[in-house]
Amino acid sequence: MAGSRRRRWRAALTGALAGSLVVALGACGVVDTKGDRRAAEELAEKHFPGQLKAVEARTLFPGSGGSEVTFAVTDDRDAVVRLRIDTDAADGRMCDRKECAGVLAEAVQRGRQQAEDFRTLRGAFDACGYEVVALGTTGTSPYVVAELTNATVAKVLREIGECVQRWTTASGADSALAKAQASYVNVVSPSVADRRDRGKDSWPTVMRLTRTNLLASLNKHAYVSASYEIEVGRVDTTGRARVVRPFREREKFGETVQNAVKEQLRATYPRVVMSTYQWIWQLEPGRVDRQTGYVLFCPEPGARGQCVNPDDAALVTTDGRGNPVGKIRLVHDVREGTGALRLPPY
């Protein structure tokens, strides 16, 4: 009898929890986007008849409710239009807390312009032999594929820099890119690119290349981010590169280099405390197995034995795992009071 009562109690509890979950999800708008999608489709047909086709809808969460409805543009294979529609009564429905007709018109114009900008980018990189396999969520910072080794890295970075110059020139002197101070290109290995989440071929190109799942499938592996300085539309095609690591790999790298530097510093500063802050680590020119960056430290422990607002740094070159190679150079007075760091370039 006791076992039977326990089984009935578990069943009742499970049912109650399941019911509560459904209610909670329903309250957050997770369960059903059909009404929002239908309303968005009606708006699209009213203001852009025959021009937009709904592809998907996702719940806006967290937030006050509503959905983001994604449209393909019937006469532009690359363009994607995203409309944020609030969950309100059908009469007087708002989009992102604004009048829907205007918001939709702006979204269509923005989607068409993004597609045009993407074609300019793709054309520039195709012309110099690098396929764009993904874009940052803003439609810039392209991801391209290349195998980087000590023998190839300088050549590949220079070629990608020439792609950036083509892209900048094709975008025009008045473009945001031409007026920017720098451009960034992410380089992933062929093996990572082959395993990426490609999405559906039927999706608009810009939608497919900016999808969260695609970027996540690339970013869960280490990749190289190359930066190119731009001055009055002219690109320094040499470029500088750094390794971008997944969180756990980055933490392990930082712990390795900080512990190794601490051991060396103890000869001069027996009570040294390391900062856990991780600086940007640049690849050494012509190398993918050597990178240089700063490690911050305090010669003496501060409050609670920690290193707070460190004013001293060690410039370190490491291997790919964070083990120092060569000599460590100390740099002092690297902070303005307790404010911003002013680390010298390297």
Side-chain angles (χ1 to χ4, degrees), residues 8-314:
R8 287 198 299 271
W9 180 83
R10 289 195 192 101
L13 178 60
T14 301
L17 289 173
S20 298
L21 180 61
V22 169
V23 171
L25 291 175
C28 294
V30 174
V31 172
D32 191 4
T33 59
K34 291 181 180 178
D36 294 337
R37 176 168 177 159
R38 183 166 54 250
E41 288 176 319
E42 291 171 357
L43 283 164
E45 189 56 31
K46 177 180 179 181
H47 297 287
F48 293 91
Q51 299 180 50
L52 302 176
K53 180 181 179 182
V55 177
E56 68 173 16
R58 67 178 184 89
T59 301
L60 293 174
F61 179 80
S64 57
S67 305
E68 181 181 79
V69 182
T70 302
F71 294 93
V73 179
T74 55
D75 63 352
D76 190 331
R77 178 69 183 81
D78 298 321
V80 59
V81 174
R82 295 182 174 94
L83 178 68
R84 292 194 164 200
I85 186 164
D86 302 336
T87 299
D88 294 318
D91 294 335
R93 183 183 284 273
M94 304 291 284
C95 293
D96 211 9
R97 300 185 180 181
K98 300 176 184 176
E99 189 271 327
C100 281
V103 173
L104 180 59
E106 291 176 2
V108 171
Q109 182 180 10
R110 182 168 55 251
R112 288 188 178 277
Q113 184 60 56
Q114 287 175 340
E116 191 62 38
D117 293 343
F118 165 70
R119 285 188 284 271
T120 300
L121 183 160
R122 179 178 58 190
F125 279 81
D126 283 351
C128 52
Y130 287 90
E131 179 189 4
V132 176
V133 297
L135 300 169
T137 53
T138 60
T140 55
S141 300
Y143 288 71
V144 301
V145 183
E147 193 69 73
L148 297 178
T149 66
N150 287 346
T152 65
V153 61
K155 175 177 179 289
V156 170
L157 291 180
R158 185 174 61 254
E159 290 175 348
I160 293 175
E162 292 167 357
C163 296
V164 174
Q165 182 64 76
R166 285 176 179 264
W167 177 24
T168 303
T169 302
S171 297
D174 293 331
S175 67
L177 178 62
K179 295 177 181 178
Q181 294 182 331
S183 179
Y184 301 88
V185 179
N186 303 308
V187 186
V188 298
S189 70
S191 61
V192 170
D194 287 344
R195 299 194 300 271
R196 70 187 187 274
D197 185 321
R198 297 171 185 267
K200 298 180 181 178
D201 290 339
S202 60
W203 288 339
T205 311
V206 173
M207 172 186 172
R208 181 162 42 83
L209 296 189
T210 57
R211 291 274 296 186
T212 301
N213 289 348
L214 168 60
L215 297 177
S217 70
L218 296 174
N219 294 345
K220 70 180 181 180
H221 305 278
Y223 63 91
V224 169
S225 176
S227 62
Y228 298 91
E229 294 183 1
I230 302 175
E231 185 174 353
V232 196
R234 298 303 303 172
V235 177
D236 179 356
T237 58
T238 303
R240 297 200 69 183
R242 64 186 182 94
V243 178
V244 180
R245 298 176 176 84
F247 176 77
R248 289 184 179 178
E249 191 175 326
R250 183 173 69 251
E251 291 295 297
K252 184 176 181 180
F253 174 90
E255 183 179 341
T256 299
V257 66
Q258 286 158 5
N259 287 340
V261 172
K262 182 178 182 178
E263 285 303 309
Q264 294 193 38
L265 289 175
R266 276 179 172 165
T268 306
Y269 306 108
R271 301 183 66 206
V272 65
V273 180
M274 306 304 297
S275 169
T276 58
Y277 177 77
Q278 290 202 34
W279 193 245
I280 296 173
W281 291 82
Q282 299 279 358
L283 287 177
E284 286 289 289
R287 303 289 294 264
V288 295
D289 59 348
R290 295 288 183 270
Q291 50 210 302
T292 298
Y294 282 106
V295 175
L296 304 177
F297 69 93
C298 295
E300 298 281 336
R304 299 179 182 177
Q306 296 178 340
C307 181
V308 181
N309 296 323
D311 198 26
D312 300 274

Side-chain angles (χ1 to χ4, degrees), residues 302-329:
R304 299 179 182 177
Q306 296 178 340
C307 181
V308 181
N309 296 323
D311 198 26
D312 300 274
L315 184 62
V316 190
T317 297
T318 77
D319 63 16
R321 296 184 177 181
N323 300 301
V325 294
K327 294 183 178 180
I328 293 174
R329 180 163 67 90

